[in-house]
Amino acid sequence: MSNVLVWVMDAKKVIAICQSGGEFVTNKDGSLSYTGGDAYALDIDHQTQLIDFKSELADMFNCNADTMSIKYFLPGNKKTLITISKDKDLHRMLNFLGDSSTADIFIMSEDAAARNVSNMPASRSSRTTVSEAVVPVVEAADGAVETGTVDDQNNFKAYETPLRAVPPGSSDDTHRKAAQQWENTITGVDQRFNSFSEFREALHKYSIAHGFAYRYKKNDSHRVTVKCKSPGCPWRIYASRLSTTQLVCIKKMHTHHTCEGAAVKAGYRATRGWVGSIIKEKLKVSPNYKPKDIANDIKREYGIQLNYSQAWRAKEIAREQLQGSYKEAYTQLPSFCEKIKETNPGSVATFTTKEDSSFHRLFDGLKKSLAEIFDKCYHGYCLRHLAEKLNRDLKGQFSHEARRFLINDFYAAAYSTKLEGFQRSVENIKGISPDAYNWVIQSEPDHWANAFFGGARYNHMTSGFGQSFYSWVSEAHELPITQMIDVLRGKMMESIYTRRVESNQWTTKLTPSMEEKLQKETLTAQTLHVSMSHHGGSTFEVRGESVEIVDVDNWDCSCRGWQLEGLPCCHAIAVMEWTGRSPYEYCSRYFTVESYRLTFAESIQPIPDVDKPVAVSESSSQALLVTVTPPPTKRPPGRPKMKQTESIDMIKRQLQCSKCKGLGHNKKTCKNTLPLPSLS
């Protein structure tokens, strides 16, 4: 069951036309249409909280607010769905409407989302093909539902212990809401399935929803006969392959129960394999799905109590079931790269393999690409990574305190804009360790020290933005490779659109952060004294805490702040105010709102049918002949071991007592009562 809301905006409020019970239809151009359903109306504005909105929808449609998923289309794009998961997302959606009077919003339960996933281009990246291994679901002797495999002689082999669930008649009866969504997974005679695995999974869900146990009379790769476990109960079902096809069809079914078990809906049990099949769809979308969250979700939705190890094992089973799709994704890589270039003209999409055809790299090594794309540009090293390498290389030679001074002096050398400041800092390092001094000198300071850097670094001394990006997309790093790239594409597409919309509301000449910084420099400039330099022309002398020489026409100040950051320093602004010039005319164009908008003016286009091969053309046929296999790596069993390393921040910020010079405490908590020796 899925729901659609059409929003109509007026000056005071937004009217939500809520439609329920329809279905998605994929059009020829890949766009989505929603048809059918009943309609209701709700009011909403920027004061509406998402939790209240969800609660009202849950009451209206008699569904679970906790498992509700809300999505909407970006204006003018009926192919990509954006998720609303917090208040900011809801209000941002209203802002995106602009002058538009309507917008489509889709609300689905998780189960409905799984059923509709194959119809949604935005979700196709999460659809994978699982191997057609037969994994039957059978009844154990004690009534527990078990999963296992069928051998070459069509004999069933169970492979795990069942898990006990909370009886539906208990106080946890509300947990059966999700299970009740499965009441119609089996509809009767002539219902068809793509495989026996799909039929067995549907039967398992059907039995849970209707609260009865069953056993297999026949269970092989050609036919399945199932009857109610209760003696004398007439309920039974027979399914077999549809002639000349691979489809499985229900041929006979007796739909009525006479057993007491069905009447009272006695408690059921489930296996870790069953839990794995339940979380498999969610694991596709969220590979970092944690065992703790798995246990909480299964308890809330199905009433099954798992401990941590059971949840972890269920995740491993689900992951194993998905491995076929991970391998298949590598074979689709050539086709996927062709689709990128086809849907986004001008894009570079290349990959390389090793001698054994195993995957090596997607796109080009970074250093080579920088030289080709950013020709005649200066390349700065990340100061934080350099400091961590310095700490690792010299850690065994020095105490914690000595390393703290080394790192502080290293940062001071990097941030110093003048040669004398850099030299003073590295001499301090030399006083602690000649080896550390040699390390610093040989580490190419022209790539990380302000005193030697040849271009404008725009005050970016570290690659922290790269770490922020990785955190932003971390949920995708365990996905199949084609799906992973498509998730990144979707996130960047959404980010570009969001920034484009937000920047259209700016009224300043510079971006907000640069505007704020310029204003701070302007306040400082008011305390400085300006006089014409003896050189004349555009050169001026500015006095404050130091004496600096400013050449306005050449955008140069002896403090080097202007050149390095691309924004006029307080000395330059003082001269501009003294000569009646506008500081805005001397800011890097990259800081202007106009440039920011141009950066996000273009859009990244969706890639339809990510998991389907592209049509072979003369230009791409050669590339598609390349075979790509998974890299020869295997994740070790068990939970990954996390190695904790000492943070550079901990070294830099180590608390030091000003009284005894000891570490780990301050003057107030110092227990050393001896006076410090005289330094005179």
Side-chain angles (χ1 to χ4, degrees), residues 1-7 16-20 38-44 48-71 84 90 93 105-109 177:
M1 177 76 68
S2 56
N3 316 294
V4 173
L5 291 82
V6 180
W7 306 82
I17 308 301
C18 310
Q19 190 172 320
S20 172
D38 300 321
Y40 297 90
L42 292 177
D43 294 338
I44 190 173
T48 301
Q49 299 296 310
L50 182 59
I51 187 173
D52 297 329
F53 184 53
K54 277 189 169 184
S55 177
E56 193 166 2
L57 287 173
D59 292 338
M60 177 183 294
F61 295 116
N62 192 27
C63 59
N64 191 341
D66 292 334
T67 61
M68 183 184 297
S69 177
I70 303 180
K71 298 177 182 293
I84 298 177
L90 180 62
M93 181 274 300
I105 306 294
F106 305 91
I107 293 97
M108 296 171 282
S109 66
K177 283 187 176 180

Side-chain angles (χ1 to χ4, degrees), residues 15-159:
I15 302 175
I17 308 301
C18 310
Q19 190 172 320
S20 172
E23 63 179 1
F24 290 102
V25 177
T26 305
N27 303 317
K28 292 183 178 180
D29 62 353
S31 63
L32 290 175
S33 299
Y34 189 86
T35 60
D38 300 321
Y40 297 90
L42 292 177
D43 294 338
I44 190 173
D45 56 27
H46 280 78
Q47 303 302 317
T48 301
Q49 299 296 310
L50 182 59
I51 187 173
D52 297 329
F53 184 53
K54 277 189 169 184
S55 177
E56 193 166 2
L57 287 173
D59 292 338
M60 177 183 294
F61 295 116
N62 192 27
C63 59
N64 191 341
D66 292 334
T67 61
M68 183 184 297
S69 177
I70 303 180
K71 298 177 182 293
Y72 69 98
F73 285 121
L74 294 174
N77 184 342
K78 296 295 184 181
K79 298 181 179 180
T80 304
L81 291 166
I82 307 300
T83 301
I84 298 177
S85 59
K86 51 184 179 294
D87 290 331
K88 184 178 180 181
D89 296 334
L90 180 62
H91 300 154
R92 180 179 291 164
M93 181 274 300
L94 298 177
N95 293 334
F96 282 168
L97 293 180
D99 296 329
S100 300
S101 60
T102 63
D104 296 333
I105 306 294
F106 305 91
I107 293 97
M108 296 171 282
S109 66
E110 290 178 356
D111 191 58
R115 292 199 301 271
N116 284 285
V117 69
S118 60
N119 295 328
M120 298 185 184
S123 298
R124 279 177 178 166
S125 60
S126 65
R127 194 174 72 229
T128 53
T129 303
V130 182
S131 302
E132 283 294 314
V134 179
V135 185
V137 184
V138 302
E139 280 296 317
D142 63 352
V145 181
E146 295 186 348
T147 58
T149 59
V150 174
D151 60 18
D152 293 337
Q153 287 74 41
N154 292 328
N155 295 319
F156 174 78
K157 293 184 177 181
Y159 59 79

Side-chain angles (χ1 to χ4, degrees), residues 195-486:
S195 66
F196 278 110
S197 296
E198 183 178 306
F199 166 73
R200 293 183 181 99
E201 184 173 346
L203 178 61
H204 194 177
K205 293 178 178 178
Y206 179 84
S207 69
I208 292 174
H210 291 271
F212 69 94
Y214 60 90
R215 68 170 70 251
Y216 285 88
K217 292 192 65 178
K218 292 185 181 295
N219 183 25
D220 55 41
S221 59
H222 302 288
R223 57 186 176 176
V224 173
T225 301
V226 184
K227 68 181 296 292
C228 179
K229 188 181 178 183
S230 180
C233 182
W235 186 95
R236 65 184 57 226
I237 189 170
Y238 170 75
S240 63
R241 290 199 181 276
L242 194 62
S243 299
T244 70
T245 75
Q246 294 298 313
L247 297 176
V248 174
C249 181
I250 296 178
K251 302 295 182 64
K252 298 178 181 178
M253 182 175 180
H254 194 294
T255 60
H256 299 293
H257 285 273
T258 59
C259 59
E260 182 181 356
V264 299
K265 293 186 180 291
Y268 59 87
R269 297 176 180 180
T271 65
R272 285 184 291 271
W274 175 79
V275 176
S277 68
I278 294 300
I279 68 172
K280 187 168 58 180
E281 292 299 325
K282 183 174 289 188
L283 196 63
K284 289 181 186 178
V285 181
S286 303
N288 295 326
Y289 195 18
K290 297 180 180 179
K292 180 180 68 174
D293 296 330
I294 292 174
N296 290 338
D297 290 347
I298 293 297
K299 175 64 166 64
R300 183 183 69 251
E301 298 172 18
Y302 307 107
I304 300 173
Q305 185 70 55
L306 305 180
N307 59 34
Y308 185 92
S309 62
Q310 290 169 333
W312 182 88
R313 179 55 184 157
K315 179 179 178 179
E316 290 300 294
I317 291 175
R319 192 194 301 275
E320 290 169 6
Q321 293 174 1
L322 292 173
Q323 286 305 310
S325 63
Y326 281 72
K327 295 178 182 178
E328 184 180 0
Y330 286 101
T331 66
Q332 297 171 349
L333 193 58
S335 173
F336 179 73
C337 288
E338 292 301 316
K339 287 182 180 181
I340 291 177
K341 293 184 283 189
E342 177 185 324
T343 55
N344 292 270
S347 297
V348 176
T350 60
F351 63 91
T352 57
T353 59
K354 297 180 180 178
E355 293 182 357
D356 60 356
S357 297
S358 63
F359 174 77
H360 178 54
R361 181 185 295 121
L362 185 63
F363 306 117
D364 290 327
L366 184 59
K367 195 169 185 179
K368 178 183 175 183
S369 299
L370 285 172
E372 292 179 354
I373 298 175
F374 298 100
D375 187 29
K376 298 179 181 179
C377 289
Y378 296 94
H379 179 201
Y381 296 160
C382 174
L383 184 59
R384 182 182 182 88
H385 289 148
L386 283 173
E388 289 175 346
K389 189 174 189 312
L390 172 61
N391 180 50
R392 288 196 304 269
D393 291 348
L394 303 174
K395 182 176 181 180
Q397 304 179 31
F398 306 102
S399 66
H400 181 98
E401 183 179 17
R403 286 187 291 122
R404 181 175 65 85
F405 280 116
L406 279 175
I407 297 301
N408 284 339
D409 288 335
F410 179 70
Y411 268 76
Y415 277 97
S416 178
T417 60
K418 296 183 179 181
L419 178 60
E420 54 267 29
F422 175 86
Q423 291 176 333
R424 184 166 54 251
S425 296
V426 295
E427 285 298 322
N428 290 338
I429 292 175
K430 188 175 184 180
I432 299 174
S433 166
D435 289 341
Y437 172 83
N438 292 332
W439 190 100
V440 171
I441 296 301
Q442 294 172 12
S443 63
E444 301 178 293
D446 55 313
H447 285 288
W448 55 265
N450 281 335
F452 300 101
F453 196 74
R457 196 155 182 173
Y458 304 103
N459 204 32
H460 286 293
M461 300 297 288
T462 67
S463 58
F465 57 89
Q467 294 175 343
S468 298
F469 176 82
Y470 179 79
S471 176
W472 182 53
V473 300
S474 62
E475 65 184 39
H477 81 281
E478 290 188 9
L479 293 173
I481 186 167
T482 52
Q483 184 180 340
M484 175 181 68
I485 299 300
D486 196 53

